[in-house]
Amino acid sequence: MSQIVELRQYTLHPGRRDALIELFDRELVAPQDELGMTVLGQFRDLDDPDRFVWLRGFPDLATRAAKLAAFYGGPVWKAHREAANATMIDSDDVLLLRPVDDDRERPVVIGAPADGGIIAATVYLLRAPVDADFARLFDHRIAPVLAAAGAPPLARFTTADGKNEFPALPVREGEHAFVWLAAFASAADHAACQAALAAAGVSDELARRGVTTQALRLAPTAGSKLRPGAPLGYTTQRRGDVHDFDFLAGRWTVASRRLAARGAGSTTWQTTLATARAELHLGGVANVDEIELPALGAAGLTLRHFRIADRQWSIHWVSSHTGAIDPPVVGGFHGDRGEFYGEDVDAGRPVKVRFVWTRLGPDAARWEQAFAYAGGAWETNWIMEFQRAGQRP
C-alpha cells in the first residue's frame, strides 16, 4: 500500500537508456519489492530519448529511509551501482508525493494501456500549497474533460509534507506540486484530450494562477508493473458511504448526449433533453430515480442500494424498451467523484462497464457511462448533465 510515492526523472548519457532499462528491469525491481518498497512503473519518455522516468511507492514516510538504506546499502545495489550510474548524468529530479485520494484500503495501482497506448504524467507546480480551490478546479474543469476522453485520472498526488530522511537521495524541496496520471489508447487520443483541455480554458486558467506545467508522455518498459488485459482503472473493490447519493433526491432537468454507435469508432452524438426524479428510501440505504426522454419515446429507472457490510453501492438499470434489469455496477464515492464498475453484454459482445458520477455543487451533477470491449480502452458512450429543476445552469 503506497502512501508515499516518488516520481523520479533521470537524465541519461545519450544512447544509454536501453542499457539502463535492461539492467533495471532484470536486476533492480524485484529486490526493492522484497524490501517493502514497490516499483510502481518504469517508462521511456516519448519526447526525450535520454530520459528515464519511474515511480516508487512506500507504505509511509516514517519507514522510507530505513527501506532505502537497506537497498542502497545492500548487496544488489553494490553489485550493479557502477553499471547503473555509468548511464546517468542526473538522478536528483525527484518529487516526493502523497496520494490525494487517501483510500488506505486500496494501494496506488496503475493499469495498463492498450498496445501503442501511453501513460500521461502531468505535473503542475503552484505558487502555494494545493488548496481546496485548486482541487475544485481539477474536479470541475479538468477531470470531466479527461473522463469524456475515456481517460479518467488513474491517480492524483500532491507534495508530501515532511523531511527527506535519506539525504543520500535528494528530492526537490520547497515546491508545491499537483500530479495526475492518466492513460490513453494512443498518442492521437492524448493530443485530442490536450486540445479539449485548451478549448475548455484550462491552459488559460492555469497560466492566470501562475502554474507551471510539465506534461510527460510515457511508454512502459517490458518489466513495468502494468497489467495488460483489463481496461484502465477497472475494479470491483471501490467502496463508498451510505450517504453518497443523498444529493440526488429531488427533480432534475437533464441534457443527455449519447453516442450514435457504440464500439464502432463513431464520433456522432445524439443529444436530447430529459427530466428526472429521484427519491431516497430506508434512510438512504436505497434510492430510485426515473428518467424520461420524451424525444426518444423512452424512459428508464435506476435502483441503487448500499450493502452495509461491504460498504458498496450496487446500481441496476431498467429500460422501458426491454423491461430487463441490467447486471449491476458496484463502487462508491471518494470526495465528489464516484466510480462504479461491472460486466455486461452489448449486442452480443462482452463488455466491461464503468459509471462515473461527479457532484458539481448542490444543484448540478454529471453522469458518464463507458464500455470497454475485449480488454480494450474505455469508450465513453453516454453523458448526462444534471441541473436541479428550477435552478439556472
Side-chain angles (χ1 to χ4, degrees), residues 252-338:
W252 301 84
T253 57
V254 183
S256 172
R257 193 159 63 99
R258 195 169 185 176
L259 203 59
R262 297 190 296 265
S266 174
T267 59
T268 301
W269 292 84
Q270 299 172 333
T271 60
T272 188
L273 294 177
T275 59
R277 180 182 72 257
E279 296 180 350
L280 307 182
H281 300 276
L282 305 177
V285 170
N287 63 80
V288 177
D289 75 58
E290 185 174 355
I291 187 164
E292 298 180 358
L293 300 100
L296 303 180
L301 181 145
T302 303
L303 167 65
R304 305 173 187 86
H305 63 93
F306 186 74
R307 301 192 309 276
I308 295 173
D310 298 330
R311 289 180 49 221
Q312 278 194 316
W313 286 95
S314 290
I315 303 178
H316 304 260
W317 166 257
V318 184
S319 168
S320 64
H321 284 161
T322 67
I325 301 178
D326 287 352
V329 293
V330 300
F333 273 77
H334 189 91
D336 286 329
R337 179 183 175 85

Side-chain angles (χ1 to χ4, degrees), residues 129 170 173 180 187 196 216 218 229 244 257 301 305 335 346 359 363 371 379 382 386:
E173 297 181 316
W180 56 267
L216 300 171
L218 306 174
D244 281 343
R257 193 159 63 99
L301 181 145
H305 63 93
D346 181 41
R359 293 186 292 231
D363 298 317
F371 290 171
E379 176 188 67
W382 199 353
F386 285 71

Side-chain angles (χ1 to χ4, degrees), residues 359-382:
R359 293 186 292 231
L360 302 172
D363 298 317
R366 178 187 178 98
W367 171 83
E368 302 157 21
Q369 174 182 272
F371 290 171
Y373 299 85
W378 291 112
E379 176 188 67
T380 300
N381 56 53
W382 199 353

Side-chain angles (χ1 to χ4, degrees), residues 5-25:
V5 172
E6 297 172 342
L7 172 59
R8 309 186 67 88
Q9 301 184 53
Y10 290 0
T11 300
L12 308 178
H13 291 288
R16 299 304 309 278
R17 183 166 69 181
D18 284 348
L20 175 61
I21 288 172
E22 193 277 332
L23 173 66
F24 196 98
D25 285 358

